Amino acid sequence: ELEAARNAASKDDLRSPICCILGHVDTGKTKLLDKIRQTNVQEGEAGGITQQIGATYFPVEALEKKTDVVNKDKSFEFKVPGLLVIDTPGHESFTNLRSRGSSLCNIAILVVDIMHGLEPQTLESMKLLRDRKTPFIVALNKIDRLYSWKPIANNGFRDSLSLQNKAVQNEFRDRLEKTKLAFSEQGFNAELFYENKSMAKYVSLVPTSAHTGEGIPDMLKLLVTLTQERMTRQLMYLSEVECTVLEVKVIEGLGTTIDVVLSNGILNEGDRIVLCGTEGAISTDIRALLTPAEMKELRVKSQYVHNKTVKAALGVKIAANGLDNAIAGSRLLVVKDKDNEDEIEELEEDVMSDLENLMSKISPSKRGVTVQASTLGSLEALLEFLRVSKIPVANISIGPVHKRDVITSSAMLEKAKEYAVMLCFDVKVDKDAHELADQMGVKIFTAEIIYHLFDDFTKHMKALNEAKKEESKMLAVFPCVLKPVAVFNKKDPIVIGVDVVDGNLRLTTPLAAVKHNPVTGVKDVVALGRVTSIERDHKQIPICKKGQPSVAIKIEGANQPMYGRQLEESDTLYSLISRASINTLKEFYRDDVEKDEWTLIAKQLKPLFDIQ
Ligand code: GDP
């Protein structure tokens, strides 16, 4: 039945697939886009390629023309009406083209620099593509940089490769194999596109050059093949509107406008629309549906053409009142009956539920970091990443960081200091907010790559822990009992020879003698200071264990008692422990304290210093 439906579907019933380009910075995403948009001067016209808002539309005629060189016998049949390519490359548009967690981007091109292999943002893009289950192909770009590559402009890749000398072919194979290996390490099986037997199982690698145009015909053909093989069903034309806000922009003369991608359905001037805003749902009427004017029309006053109605898939600018607080990444819904208040209310709730769903990802204990992102889509991606990384989140927000956001985060200073941290993805932090954060001790981390935030946070946690351990160092007192055997210096500093009769003597240990007044029976704790040096045979050692040969130790401290006065050589010396020192050992040094040492603390030292 499905098969029948598929066969019956004419081009008119199918809408054009939407394609995003992702990849690491400088791999050539922008250049590739430019190259595929470029009019072929020799052939005269652009074949109906239209520049839209935030996207470029390639009608099937243009695709046919651009793939001609790799489809000379016309054996490949185009079934899609065209292809809509989103102009802003990168995560931003991909993460925002979303609807209830699924992707409205039907297909993606992941660009990899063949000379560099997989880079940090490549991995991040792969993760996003995997999460959203978006089929993609890989453009292995910059093949013209293979040593002594001889270019043939806009040629099919296979033909170009066959005309290279052996050394170039070998270098290509070598880099190809390395890339395949790197992909398999990430859990993707990849194959060179013309060696790929199953697009369902293997990712196709298509070598390209955005400079020479080689491989680009293959890339376009492959994109269409992949959509036709994998997603005809999703591309059936539906009347229901599916539309996403990609950008919110202030335009002179128009006020705040939204750039949207209409993935499905139809929009009309005057339609009442509902979308997500930072201050609650926005419902407003479409005042104008704008697309860019073509070159020849530029002499008319506006740079935009007004459209009475537009049909999916396309990118269009919407002008309307009340869009100031619109959130990029929001779904856009259309009200069927403008007079039906109930329907409007329902749609408002529906559209705001996207934001509320994200709110529900906040840690129930309300202990966690503050997360701020530029758009709904990037916030969603970031929260998912933090969930997997097990970093708890207490607050979320969209848009630039203001003072009030810092204040929200600062509540954590009391509850859980380590979480007084703001992880900001692709947003500006205003100056006042920065200053306030510095004053209050709230850490702000900003990044353009999601997992850089993770690295920053991990580093922050590690530093905090180390600082705590360092602080605790002086508080940690390991137990020992010493018998002095000689006094070399009576005071300031005290230098004596000792035998360790129990426990282990370590540097920095505070020592005390406990004197009983035989007449009054009062117990007097005489603190000597801390051990600053342990020496045997004129060599410094960090530790002297029970039963080892005698050592000479230096003890320093304020208001030291004096041997011959408050102290005698025969006085036994003990580690001066306290409740706090025991707690510190338990918290930070549990593994470093031996069983005998715990016993020594409990049986001998605790009673001596009256610790319950
Ligand atoms: P993006 O950051 O991914 O959008 O990368 P760009 O398109 O801005 O390209 C980054 C740099 O790589 C620019 O200097 C481009 O000229 C260069 N570049 C892009 N594609 C190619 C290519 O196919 N071959 C060569 N040799 N250079 C390229």
Side-chain angles (χ1 to χ4, degrees):
E1 208 172 309
L2 184 73
E3 200 52 36
R6 202 174 278 172
N7 291 336
S10 74
K11 273 182 194 169
D12 291 344
D13 297 327
L14 291 177
R15 65 161 180 83
S16 305
I18 298 174
C19 172
C20 284
I21 302 193
L22 287 83
H24 194 77
V25 65
D26 277 350
T27 48
K29 299 181 292 295
T30 313
K31 260 266 164 347
L32 270 176
L33 271 169
D34 287 348
K35 196 72 189 177
I36 59 174
R37 263 193 304 243
Q38 207 173 69
T39 312
N40 193 331
V41 185
Q42 280 166 350
E43 288 171 31
E45 43 154 353
I49 297 175
T50 43
Q51 186 55 50
Q52 302 181 345
I53 299 291
T56 306
Y57 184 69
F58 299 83
V60 69
E61 297 75 29
L63 294 175
E64 277 167 348
K65 205 168 231 174
K66 281 182 179 287
T67 53
D68 210 25
V69 58
V70 289
N71 190 30
K72 288 196 177 113
D73 58 359
K74 306 277 183 243
S75 61
F76 181 73
E77 197 192 336
F78 287 82
K79 293 184 192 137
V80 293
L83 182 70
L84 186 74
V85 180
I86 303 298
D87 282 344
T88 326
H91 290 14
E92 183 81 344
S93 41
F94 178 77
T95 54
N96 276 335
L97 271 173
R98 50 177 281 292
S99 175
R100 300 208 166 283
S102 73
S103 187
L104 297 181
C105 162
N106 304 111
I107 188 165
I109 304 171
L110 176 64
V111 186
V112 171
D113 184 333
I114 192 169
M115 308 306 279
H116 293 170
L118 306 193
E119 298 174 88
Q121 279 162 306
T122 324
L123 303 183
E124 199 157 298
S125 303
M126 283 161 79
K127 201 182 146 353
L128 291 170
L129 292 165
R130 191 198 313 250
D131 286 353
R132 293 271 165 90
K133 300 191 175 63
T134 307
F136 67 98
I137 60 168
V138 174
L140 267 185
N141 195 34
K142 307 199 186 179
I143 49 166
D144 60 289
R145 292 189 54 199
L146 293 170
Y147 184 70
S148 86
W149 177 270
K150 293 195 183 52
I152 300 174
N154 305 312
N155 200 13
F157 171 75
R158 250 182 126 159
D159 187 51
S160 268
L161 182 69
S162 70
L163 298 173
Q164 305 299 319
N165 69 37
K166 261 269 149 318
V168 179
Q169 293 185 0
N170 287 342
E171 188 191 350
F172 168 73
R173 268 291 154 189
D174 192 39
R175 293 193 184 276
L176 175 73
E177 291 308 319
K178 282 202 181 103
T179 310
K180 278 163 64 171
L181 188 64
F183 269 94
S184 74
E185 280 166 1
Q186 299 300 319
F188 286 100
N189 292 313
E191 283 289 356
L192 184 59
F193 71 104
Y194 54 81
E195 289 168 0
N196 189 354
K197 301 228 160 49
S198 162
M199 283 183 110
K201 286 195 193 135
Y202 298 94
V203 175
S204 288
L205 307 174
V206 52
T208 57
S209 166
H211 278 186
T212 70
E214 285 163 300
I216 289 181
D218 304 281
M219 184 180 87
L220 290 173
K221 184 171 160 221
L222 200 59
L223 269 182
V224 176
T225 312
L226 186 57
T227 20
Q228 290 182 174
E229 274 192 18
R230 306 260 331 256
M231 41 194 342
T232 325
R233 228 176 121 201
Q234 282 115 296
L235 292 178
M236 300 276 264
Y237 193 78
L238 299 169
S239 56
E240 188 157 344
V241 169
E242 242 176 3
C243 186
T244 314
V245 179
L246 276 198
E247 271 193 84
V248 181
K249 272 189 190 156
V250 179
I251 305 282
E252 217 186 294
L254 293 174
T256 304
T257 64
I258 49 176
D259 292 354
V260 306
V261 171
L262 180 64
S263 325
N264 235 321
I266 292 171
L267 289 179
N268 302 293
E269 208 179 81
D271 278 351
R272 158 82 36 121
I273 53 172
V274 177
L275 60 151
C276 208
T278 50
E279 313 294 324
I282 298 169
S283 57
T284 180
D285 292 342
I286 296 179
R287 196 167 67 224
L289 287 166
L290 306 163
T291 48
E294 279 180 47
M295 276 307 203
K296 57 180 190 296
E297 289 170 286
L298 268 183
R299 60 198 151 75
V300 279
K301 256 193 255 132
S302 164
Q303 62 185 112
Y304 297 110
V305 176
H306 287 244
N307 301 266
K308 279 267 168 270
T309 176
V310 292
K311 192 176 165 192
L314 93 164
V316 62
K317 182 184 282 297
I318 296 179
N321 294 335
L323 292 175
D324 293 346
N325 298 317
I327 294 178
S330 161
R331 286 185 292 150
L332 182 146
L333 306 178
V334 177
V335 179
K336 290 199 181 72
D337 176 4
K338 278 167 95 169
D339 298 325
N340 184 346
E341 287 299 326
D342 287 348
E343 190 202 349
I344 295 176
E345 211 166 288
E346 218 171 275
L347 294 187
E348 286 181 349
E349 263 173 39
D350 185 6
V351 91
M352 288 309 284
S353 70
D354 287 355
L355 194 56
E356 276 144 26
N357 280 342
L358 294 188
M359 294 279 186
S360 72
K361 299 203 168 143
I362 285 176
S363 131
S365 71
K366 298 265 159 57
R367 285 159 63 97
V369 299
T370 296
V371 169
Q372 201 134 349
S374 51
T375 71
L376 207 55
S378 55
L379 180 62
E380 188 175 54
L382 181 52
L383 285 176
E384 174 57 18
F385 181 80
L386 295 176
R387 187 184 66 78
V388 174
S389 314
K390 300 200 161 44
I391 297 176
V393 176
N395 309 294
I396 60 174
S397 184
I398 290 176
V401 178
H402 298 299
K403 265 165 120 171
R404 62 157 194 237
D405 303 310
V406 175
I407 291 167
T408 308
S409 173
S410 73
M412 222 42 70
L413 286 167
E414 303 239 308
K415 278 196 214 161
K417 196 161 164 263
E418 65 273 26
Y419 295 139
V421 171
M422 306 187 71
L423 301 181
C424 308
F425 180 61
D426 191 31
V427 289
K428 288 210 174 65
V429 180
D430 77 27
K431 198 162 151 266
D432 290 353
H434 242 309
E435 276 168 13
L436 185 68
D438 284 348
Q439 269 170 33
M440 299 183 89
V442 172
K443 280 250 174 341
I444 299 185
F445 295 122
T446 54
E448 315 259 296
I449 299 182
I450 290 181
Y451 70 79
H452 281 176
L453 288 173
F454 171 75
D455 292 347
D456 287 343
F457 183 75
T458 314
K459 256 191 230 143
H460 158 80
M461 285 301 248
K462 218 168 145 199
L464 273 186
N465 248 329
E466 246 144 48
K468 254 195 194 163
K469 200 162 175 178
E470 191 61 38
E471 249 172 53
S472 73
K473 231 178 181 169
M474 289 315 222
L475 256 181
V477 178
F478 288 83
C480 68
V481 179
L482 311 177
K483 263 271 171 265
V485 292
V487 175
F488 303 119
N489 198 43
K490 291 179 191 162
K491 184 180 153 96
D492 291 330
I494 291 171
V495 182
I496 53 178
V498 294
D499 283 333
V500 179
V501 295
D502 213 341
N504 303 307
L505 171 68
R506 299 170 200 240
L507 282 172
T508 77
T509 303
L511 295 176
V514 181
K515 312 277 274 187
H516 291 270
N517 185 319
V519 182
T520 59
V522 172
K523 193 167 76 179
D524 199 7
V525 174
V526 182
L528 281 73
R530 287 181 186 268
V531 176
T532 56
S533 138
I534 306 174
E535 225 179 87
R536 186 185 298 125
D537 303 329
H538 306 289
K539 272 205 205 95
Q540 290 287 331
I541 52 175
I543 182 168
C544 177
K545 296 186 174 172
K546 174 180 177 176
Q548 290 181 341
S550 318
V551 285
I553 62 172
K554 181 157 79 181
I555 307 162
E556 291 179 274
N559 304 319
Q560 273 193 322
M562 186 171 165
Y563 271 92
R565 278 224 188 123
Q566 299 93 330
L567 287 171
E568 282 147 67
E569 192 181 312
S570 61
D571 291 333
T572 304
L573 301 178
Y574 305 93
S575 301
L576 177 52
I577 65 164
S578 63
R579 172 47 61 195
S581 78
I582 295 171
N583 288 343
T584 305
L585 282 190
K586 282 184 181 162
E587 186 175 351
F588 294 107
Y589 300 91
R590 193 172 277 282
D591 298 339
D592 305 326
V593 182
E594 286 158 28
K595 207 161 163 244
D596 289 355
E597 294 179 296
W598 288 122
T599 314
L600 175 59
I601 291 173
K603 294 267 165 66
Q604 199 172 345
L605 298 183
K606 269 170 110 178
L608 199 60
F609 295 108
D610 295 325
I611 298 167
Q612 303 312 313

